[in-house]
Amino acid sequence: MPLDSSAERQKAIESAGSVVVKVGTRVLTDSSGKLDRHRIECLSRGLCKIADTGRQTIIVSSGAVGAGMGKLGLSQRPTDLGHLQAVAAIGQADLIQSYEASLAESGRHAAQVLLTRNDLQSREGYLNVRNALSQIHELGAIAVVNENDSVAVAELMTTFGDNDRLAAQVAGLLDQCLLVILSDIDGLYDGSPDHPESQRINIVETLDDDVMSMASDKRSSLSKGGMSSKLAAAQLATSHGHAVIIGPGRDDLALEKVLQGEMIGTLFLPCERTLRGRRRWISASAEVEGRLIIDDGAVKAIHNDGSSLLAIGITGVVGEFDAGAVVMITDRHGYEIARGLCNYPSSEVDKIKGKISEMIGGILGHRPYESVVHRDNLSLHMGADRTL
């Protein structure tokens, strides 16, 4: 029986205690690359209406580089790192001022929150960011989150890659969250959005490979994200139990329509099996410090039976790491199966790999843990639900 799209939208709205809105550069800038202040005014009114319902309201906003380019009269995005960081710093000031002025018209303040991946990689940092966002909400302000482009360095892996993923990770900090990704395309289509016979998809129940293949990216000199990155962000957010709407960013009343449950954009339903607490951090934000290669029997035990990873199932160790590090767990073909907190340092895992648990004490002189990665600290990879 087909799902009732209207009823599912109402359910997603009514169950949301918080809303994270993501808006990209192509929506926030005009054809000349300058910041579109009218768009920010429309977004701010919509954000305030959401906040007025008592929901924690956060916007993850691109546009710093675009705003800086417009302010400086640049026609192309800088390519060298130092120049790009400087343009972002100049544009960020203009961006937050625009949000503050627009939100103030509805009696609220903008709270600037600039993040890099490093801020969420440690469990302590992850919780600190969540607490800061909570306090901003308690004070009646709206957090305006952006990647800290002025210090983020892709070569050092301190960037999120794009603000779609950043928005999904911010949503992952919250419970009962609705993620709204506003785009220059008004949803996911079953073909090219430019083709007259293509139809917008109202609802996606399962974000599988067939859905991911529908993405048709269109990149510009101003922005980094495309539909593929939006679907990847939706996949991450739905794995956390959050509904996602990809909708029309240039509709002046987009957020009001979302709040009212109108049939705009594409709704992605949350997964039935969702990640909570520490597992959510492991899957979405934590830094991976090494890799464990496991045999087919261990793959089946982890995936099908929800088992812990034992030493006997490990065939290889890649990288050097300490006990407590987050490691990627892959099969013999290199396919990611899961991530988890490793109970032993890499040097000890290398010694006990392939051995039964009862032999660990004799090999290492101690056996504080029976498992190398306990199932409570293990998060299955989102694409790992294939037939084994």
Side-chain angles (χ1 to χ4, degrees):
M1 182 176 179
L3 289 172
D4 184 337
S5 182
S6 178
E8 291 295 336
R9 284 173 185 269
Q10 290 293 341
K11 180 180 176 182
I13 294 296
E14 291 172 3
S15 63
S18 57
V19 177
V20 173
V21 177
K22 184 270 176 180
V23 60
T25 298
R26 288 200 291 262
V27 172
L28 283 177
T29 53
D30 58 26
S31 59
S32 65
K34 295 180 180 178
L35 196 62
D36 186 341
R37 298 184 188 279
H38 170 72
R39 185 61 46 219
I40 288 185
E41 290 170 3
C42 293
L43 286 167
S44 297
R45 285 195 296 269
L47 291 167
C48 288
K49 288 184 178 179
I50 295 172
D52 288 344
T53 67
R55 294 176 171 89
Q56 182 175 1
T57 307
I58 298 169
I59 183 166
V60 177
S61 178
S62 301
V65 174
M69 289 174 59
K71 199 168 188 178
L72 296 170
L74 304 177
S75 59
Q76 292 185 332
R77 183 187 180 96
T79 55
D80 64 289
L81 182 61
H83 197 186
L84 185 65
Q85 290 173 321
V87 171
I90 293 169
Q92 185 64 38
D94 204 26
L95 184 66
I96 197 66
Q97 286 174 6
S98 297
Y99 277 112
E100 171 64 21
S102 297
L103 291 171
E105 293 181 4
S106 298
R108 295 187 181 271
H109 291 294
Q112 179 174 260
V113 180
L114 298 178
L115 299 174
T116 67
R117 263 184 58 189
N118 286 342
D119 297 317
L120 299 180
Q121 284 181 342
S122 72
R123 181 66 174 164
E124 181 181 6
Y126 182 90
L127 295 175
N128 285 340
V129 172
R130 185 174 70 178
N131 291 337
L133 293 173
S134 177
Q135 289 302 309
I136 289 169
H137 170 60
E138 291 296 323
L139 292 172
I142 292 176
V144 181
V145 180
N146 196 359
E147 183 165 12
N148 194 351
D149 289 322
S150 61
V151 298
V153 182
E155 290 85 344
L156 298 180
M157 298 300 291
T158 60
T159 68
F160 293 93
D162 58 68
N163 271 0
D164 295 316
R165 181 172 179 83
L166 171 57
Q169 292 192 222
V170 169
L173 294 167
L174 311 173
D175 294 322
Q176 296 179 311
C177 183
L178 170 66
L179 173 60
V180 180
I181 300 176
L182 297 178
S183 173
D184 59 335
I185 301 173
D186 64 345
L188 178 65
Y189 281 76
D190 58 7
S192 171
D194 299 326
H195 197 283
E197 294 183 4
S198 295
Q199 298 291 318
R200 178 172 57 83
I201 299 170
N202 285 325
I203 187 169
V204 174
E205 184 175 2
T206 303
L207 221 170
D208 54 19
D209 290 343
D210 289 338
V211 176
M212 294 295 290
S213 68
M214 295 179 185
S216 177
D217 278 356
K218 178 175 68 175
R219 297 173 182 261
S220 73
S221 61
L222 287 174
S223 66
K224 293 187 287 186
M227 186 53 72
S228 290
S229 72
K230 290 170 177 54
L231 291 184
Q235 192 176 56
L236 178 59
T238 55
S239 76
H240 295 162
H242 301 327
V244 178
I245 294 175
I246 297 178
R250 293 200 176 99
D251 184 331
D252 289 357
L253 298 174
L255 294 181
E256 288 88 340
K257 291 177 180 178
V258 167
L259 187 61
Q260 293 164 9
E262 293 190 21
M263 299 287 290
I264 66 167
T266 302
L267 170 67
F268 299 83
L269 298 182
C271 297
E272 292 184 3
R273 292 191 305 169
T274 61
L275 302 175
R276 299 291 180 188
R278 185 184 296 270
R279 286 180 172 179
R280 184 180 295 184
W281 167 71
I282 290 170
S283 72
S285 304
E287 178 184 8
V288 174
E289 298 185 41
R291 180 162 66 96
L292 303 180
I293 305 168
I294 63 176
D295 60 27
D296 293 345
V299 171
K300 291 180 180 179
I302 289 173
H303 182 268
N304 296 344
D305 303 329
S307 300
S308 299
L309 175 61
L310 304 179
I312 193 171
I314 300 173
T315 61
V317 183
V318 179
E320 296 181 2
F321 50 85
D322 296 326
V326 174
V327 294
M328 181 185 298
I329 301 169
T330 67
D331 65 12
R332 56 194 174 91
H333 303 293
Y335 187 94
E336 182 175 349
I337 301 301
R339 295 183 183 188
L341 297 178
C342 192
N343 288 328
Y344 294 91
S346 56
S347 57
E348 292 186 351
V349 178
D350 194 49
K351 293 177 182 178
I352 62 176
K353 67 178 187 291
K355 304 296 193 298
I356 60 174
S357 299
E358 288 73 12
M359 296 177 64
I360 293 176
I363 295 171
L364 300 180
H366 64 105
R367 193 183 77 168
Y369 304 99
E370 181 174 338
S371 61
V372 175
V373 179
H374 193 273
R375 62 183 180 183
D376 290 345
N377 295 323
L378 189 149
S379 172
L380 282 178
H381 181 54
M382 288 180 293
D385 55 347
R386 69 200 196 287
T387 302
L388 298 173

